[in-house]
Amino acid sequence: MQIRSPDKNWLHEKLAGLGVQLSQLEINELERKWLLVSIAMIGLFVGAIVVTAVSHGIHPPGHVETIDSASLHLSQEFAEDKLGVQPTPLADGSIQVRLVAGRYGFYPREIEVPAGRRIVFRMASMDVLHGAHIPMTNMSAMIVPGYVSEVVSVFPKPGEYPMLCNEYCGLGHDHMWSKVTVVAQENWRKPATGGSQQ
Amino acid sequence: MNDATSTRLTLFNFWVAFGAFGLACFFGMYQVLERSGLFAFLQSPAVYFASVSTHGVLMAFVLTTFFIMGFGYYTAAHSLGQPVWNPRLAWTGYGVCVGGVVLAAIPLLLGKASVLYTFYPPIQANVFFYIGATLLVVGSWFWCAIMLVMLARWKKDHPGETVPLPMFATVANALLWLWTSLGVALESVFQLLPWALGLTDTIDVGLARTLFAWTLHPIVYFWLIPAYIALYCYVPQAAGGKLFSDVLARTAFVLILVLGLPIGFHHLYMDPEQAVGWKFLHMVGTFAVAIPTLLTGFTVIASLELAGRRQGGAGLFGWIGALPWKNPMVLAAILSLLMLVLGGFGGIVNASYAMNAMVHNTAWVPGHFHLIFAGTVVTMYLAIAYQLWPRLVGRKLYSEDLPLVQLWGWFIGMVVMTTPWHILGLLGQPRRISAVQYNSVLTLSWDPYESLMVIGGFILLVSACQFVYILYKTQTAGETLEAEPAAADDAVRPPPAWLNGFTLWNRVILVLMVLSYGYPILQFFVLKTYNPSAWGY
């Protein structure tokens, strides 16, 4: 079977025609400059985002992992005795925290994590949509039933932080919050209970 | 030329649009009062979320859709100089839309559809809400079809001629709406309706959110394009000048149409069901669509400057003072552009791939979109109403000063209301709460801003009431208007064919949509997904 190569002349004529049409467009000199400034400005923004995303690995959470929300309590990971701050750090030294979001709280309701260390939150919803946000930090993620939300953050300063539900989840939504206590690295004791790593 | 049919169609659509607008402002006022926590007897999450849902649906779906349809009928008949094609179809579409609004309003007002205006499965609304919303969309497609047919017929009768700019932009908007409403239509027909009717037990929330995101951002451009039409086609003349460039105006509308469609994932940045690569792709598109808006800002300001200098304004800024600030269209354009700049800055933050985490779902977001939508877009809708109402009802505008007071009030109220929201957002206040119930020291810092937003809300309500009053008095008690002479259009050099039609652009959109949504939608049929149980509502 012979595959016909694309007609080079046809493409050439099309492109030349486009070039002629573009050059005939009546664009004011100032406007042409502004167009270039606009494109440069947008290019700068996108460039900054590309650099931080690629070289520093700064991305929004986007960890496509499905889970059966109806049987979270029976699952390997989100069973009641496996929730909260995990006693064993992950291989890279990060602390893992597992939470279940449900009307109207994040369970467990209180957690304590060390400052200055990578914290990997793994969260799943047992009912409807929720959103987890620790104000004035970048710890933010939507919790969509049927999916595991994974988000990584580092809290530099010790203190008490509220974790608020920021997605409408029902009439008790205003009351949905939990407490995150960040303690200095040296004062942090790993919890005795909580699920072991798989 | 505007015949009786197109005038009546426009007027009937505008009545619904602005009636919804006036009503929605009362819901808005209640919400800022309730949310401030200053009045204990108003506290009620049930009433609050019913009110938010109704306010959102009335403003975002009813005001916009009816206004755009009414303005489209006027623009088509006026700029093409031909009567509305198939008036029976137009009235049928109108009836379907009104029927849909009534059907949706009943459960909304009864608190049976408190799912906000972005739906929110697996929280479930009464089935009539989904049927009503679907009918509103289906009815608006009748309008799209009429706009497309009118353009096609005109082009057939006027081969080689340049499509008038307002009609070119209106058809771009009809196409944009057909493309974008498909996402929510698919969600509605294949997911929400079968589920609300009890035909299916569960719903895939990830898929539903992806389909809604398809609609969720381009819909903003559907609302914005009529405002841009006024900025390009009405403002330069009203200011006493002319449009700076016709070709770039067409380019801007085409860019909004093409680039505005495949970018919805910036609403899903924090969602788990889409991977970062797709979010990144949509982020690049989101920034690209800022270019036509930057162009629009430039062209409109340049046109205003030309007008200001013609009227004797000299020096670097002298032309600003020389502009006819007492012309409602010019005043609205200036205030709109100011709010577009402020809101656009917030939008760049929201659209930023990583920065979004700080403000996602906080009060910052309604602060941003109230500036863009209620500020930029609605201000131009109000100015268009002041311009068209006398022609529609054949009477002079009731007052020359009151519209100016009203527009200034709307601007000041919007700034006073949205500034505290931006600050509250940075302080982490969630957007969708009815009261602050957190026993945390953080929330103490929120208090002062809550009172400020109430003042803004009150100014806005007064301004909205003034607007409805002016239209009402014009229609019932205005002096009879003599027919105005038709303005001569400036002859423009014909643009190239690809800026005079949409065939090429539809093909480009198809490719972009397949690239940006193909796999992200397909994945729900490839991955092993678990639909959540229906116990959520």
Side-chain angles (χ1 to χ4, degrees):
Chain A
M1 195 179 80
Q2 195 189 0
I3 298 171
R4 203 162 61 90
S5 67
D7 188 346
K8 277 182 194 154
N9 268 338
W10 175 82
L11 187 69
H12 187 257
E13 275 165 26
K14 272 270 174 192
L15 283 178
L18 193 67
V20 169
Q21 282 193 334
L22 275 176
S23 64
Q24 281 172 349
L25 272 184
E26 209 174 285
I27 300 182
N28 180 287
E29 187 52 35
L30 262 180
E31 225 160 6
R32 197 188 293 274
K33 281 182 187 160
W34 174 250
L35 187 58
L36 292 178
V37 169
S38 303
I39 292 171
M41 204 154 70
I42 297 302
L44 185 72
F45 290 155
V46 174
I49 293 169
V50 172
V51 169
T52 52
V54 174
S55 69
H56 302 293
I58 298 175
H59 298 279
H63 174 80
V64 187
E65 181 182 339
T66 60
I67 193 166
D68 186 3
S69 283
S71 59
L72 279 186
H73 56 298
L74 304 173
S75 73
Q76 284 288 314
E77 188 176 357
F78 291 97
E80 199 182 337
D81 60 341
K82 307 267 173 61
L83 297 178
V85 181
Q86 303 300 303
T88 326
L90 295 175
D92 64 355
S94 309
I95 306 289
Q96 198 184 44
V97 179
R98 294 177 188 154
L99 298 172
V100 165
R103 285 168 159 177
Y104 291 105
F106 300 95
Y107 305 98
R109 300 302 299 263
E110 295 192 12
I111 54 170
E112 195 174 284
V113 294
R117 230 165 130 175
R118 254 176 125 248
I119 315 286
V120 179
F121 289 90
R122 281 177 63 79
M123 300 175 287
S125 165
M126 64 175 173
D127 44 34
V128 297
L129 275 175
H130 298 283
H133 183 210
I134 301 180
M136 298 155 88
T137 76
N138 67 350
M139 191 286 173
S140 177
M142 297 292 298
I143 308 173
V144 178
Y147 301 85
V148 177
S149 299
E150 190 173 300
V151 56
V152 183
S153 193
V154 178
F155 307 109
K157 280 191 207 155
E160 263 191 17
Y161 295 76
M163 186 195 284
L164 310 178
C165 176
N166 70 4
E167 188 56 283
Y168 174 67
C169 58
L171 295 184
H173 167 58
D174 302 339
H175 296 270
M176 183 164 167
W177 70 291
S178 293
K179 197 162 78 181
V180 179
T181 310
V182 179
V183 297
Q185 176 94 307
E186 59 274 20
N187 297 336
W188 185 72
R189 295 282 166 271
K190 65 178 188 181
T193 56
S196 56
Q197 301 298 315
Q198 291 128 14
Chain B
M1 181 197 83
N2 274 65
D3 55 306
T5 310
S6 74
T7 303
R8 272 169 66 83
L9 273 169
T10 305
L11 207 51
F12 271 66
N13 276 290
F14 278 9
W15 280 336
V16 178
F18 294 125
F21 166 73
L23 189 62
C25 285
F26 282 92
F27 286 104
M29 184 71 224
Y30 160 77
Q31 283 152 224
V32 287
L33 282 176
E34 201 272 0
R35 194 176 163 130
S36 71
L38 298 172
F39 306 94
F41 65 96
L42 283 178
Q43 300 284 305
S44 162
V47 179
Y48 180 84
F49 289 116
S51 175
V52 171
S53 306
T54 312
H55 174 84
V57 168
L58 284 177
M59 287 295 199
F61 299 146
V62 181
L63 162 65
T64 50
T65 310
F66 281 91
F67 177 84
I68 292 165
M69 292 193 297
F71 188 42
Y73 287 128
Y74 178 88
T75 304
H78 190 73
S79 68
L80 298 183
Q82 58 177 232
V84 171
W85 175 73
N86 204 338
R88 182 174 291 185
L89 192 67
W91 285 113
T92 310
Y94 179 76
V96 172
C97 288
V98 171
V101 169
V102 172
L103 266 191
I106 297 166
L108 272 172
L109 294 173
L110 293 175
K112 303 280 183 204
S114 296
V115 291
L116 315 193
Y117 75 105
T118 41
F119 302 172
Y120 277 97
I123 300 179
Q124 197 182 57
N126 182 285
V127 68
F128 287 106
F129 172 73
Y130 300 122
I131 297 175
T134 307
L135 287 179
L136 177 59
V137 172
V138 170
S140 68
W141 288 346
F142 287 53
W143 171 82
C144 294
I146 292 168
M147 292 299 112
L148 295 180
V149 171
M150 284 182 76
L151 178 71
R153 287 163 64 101
W154 184 88
K155 282 183 100 166
K156 210 175 150 196
D157 294 345
H158 301 77
E161 285 184 42
T162 307
V163 180
L165 181 59
M167 189 57 186
F168 182 79
T170 301
V171 173
N173 208 16
L175 284 170
L176 178 79
W177 183 232
L178 284 173
W179 274 102
T180 189
S181 58
L182 198 58
V184 76
L186 291 172
E187 181 195 4
S188 197
V189 171
F190 292 106
Q191 291 195 282
L192 297 173
L193 282 171
W195 172 61
L197 286 166
L199 302 175
T200 54
D201 290 337
T202 61
I203 184 164
D204 189 331
V205 183
L207 176 59
R209 288 179 66 74
T210 303
L211 289 174
F212 199 83
W214 166 341
T215 298
L216 193 52
H217 205 78
I219 200 176
V220 178
Y221 298 111
F222 173 59
W223 305 335
L224 195 63
I225 284 181
Y228 278 15
I229 293 176
L231 286 176
Y232 278 113
C233 305
Y234 291 176
V235 170
Q237 280 90 342
K242 66 182 196 66
L243 181 62
F244 196 64
S245 158
D246 179 80
V247 164
L248 275 212
R250 281 167 209 269
T251 310
F253 284 116
V254 165
L255 285 179
I256 291 173
L257 168 64
V258 173
L259 300 175
L261 273 155
I263 60 170
F265 279 14
H266 63 250
H267 291 261
L268 300 182
Y269 279 159
M270 297 296 129
D271 274 43
E273 75 274 4
Q274 294 296 348
V276 290
W278 298 108
K279 292 175 181 174
F280 192 87
L281 192 73
H282 285 236
M283 179 275 294
V284 175
T286 306
F287 276 94
V289 81
I291 291 171
T293 291
L294 287 167
L295 270 183
T296 300
F298 179 84
T299 306
V300 176
I301 293 170
S303 306
L304 285 175
E305 183 180 342
L306 277 182
R309 292 198 188 282
R310 267 191 198 178
Q311 280 151 71
L316 196 54
F317 297 111
W319 59 271
I320 299 177
L323 287 172
W325 285 71
K326 293 201 165 172
N327 180 308
M329 185 58 74
V330 174
L331 177 65
I334 295 168
L335 300 180
S336 260
L337 286 170
L338 277 173
M339 289 188 276
L340 185 65
V341 170
L342 296 172
F345 165 75
I348 298 268
V349 174
N350 298 339
S352 295
Y353 184 66
M355 235 191 309
N356 174 263
M358 299 288 289
V359 293
H360 176 80
N361 264 348
T362 66
W364 171 283
V365 178
H368 155 72
F369 76 67
H370 274 77
L371 274 177
I372 294 283
F373 174 66
T376 311
V377 173
V378 172
T379 302
M380 291 314 295
Y381 285 10
L382 304 180
I384 292 170
Y386 288 140
Q387 174 118 347
L388 299 193
W389 214 258
R391 295 173 194 183
L392 295 173
V393 300
R395 290 165 187 269
K396 273 189 193 156
L397 207 56
Y398 172 65
S399 156
E400 289 196 346
D401 302 329
L402 209 49
L404 303 175
V405 175
Q406 188 271 322
L407 287 170
W408 274 111
W410 190 253
F411 171 72
I412 293 166
M414 206 48 80
V415 171
V416 173
M417 188 174 74
T418 56
T419 307
W421 285 355
H422 280 90
I423 299 169
L424 283 168
L426 292 175
L427 294 173
Q429 186 180 86
R431 62 191 279 201
R432 298 183 178 107
I433 50 168
S434 76
V436 175
Q437 305 282 11
Y438 317 116
N439 183 16
S440 162
V441 282
L442 170 82
T443 60
L444 289 177
S445 62
W446 296 350
D447 287 348
Y449 304 105
E450 307 244 301
S451 329
L452 205 52
M453 78 177 180
V454 176
I455 299 171
F458 182 72
I459 301 172
L460 288 168
L461 179 63
V462 171
S463 172
C465 291
Q466 280 175 344
F467 171 74
V468 175
Y469 176 76
I470 295 166
L471 294 193
Y472 173 76
K473 289 298 271 189
T474 301
Q475 184 149 6
T476 54
E479 293 170 45
T480 312
L481 182 80
E482 285 148 39
E484 286 180 44
D489 285 326
D490 285 323
V492 288
R493 202 166 129 178
W498 44 274
L499 281 178
N500 204 33
F502 295 98
T503 318
L504 168 69
W505 304 118
N506 276 319
R507 287 183 196 150
V508 174
I509 292 169
L510 180 66
V511 172
L512 289 178
M513 286 303 276
V514 170
L515 283 178
S516 53
Y517 279 100
Y519 181 74
I521 288 175
L522 188 69
Q523 70 165 352
F524 295 101
F525 302 94
V526 177
L527 291 176
K528 174 152 182 54
T529 53
Y530 305 87
N531 300 344
S533 308
W535 61 41
Y537 42 95

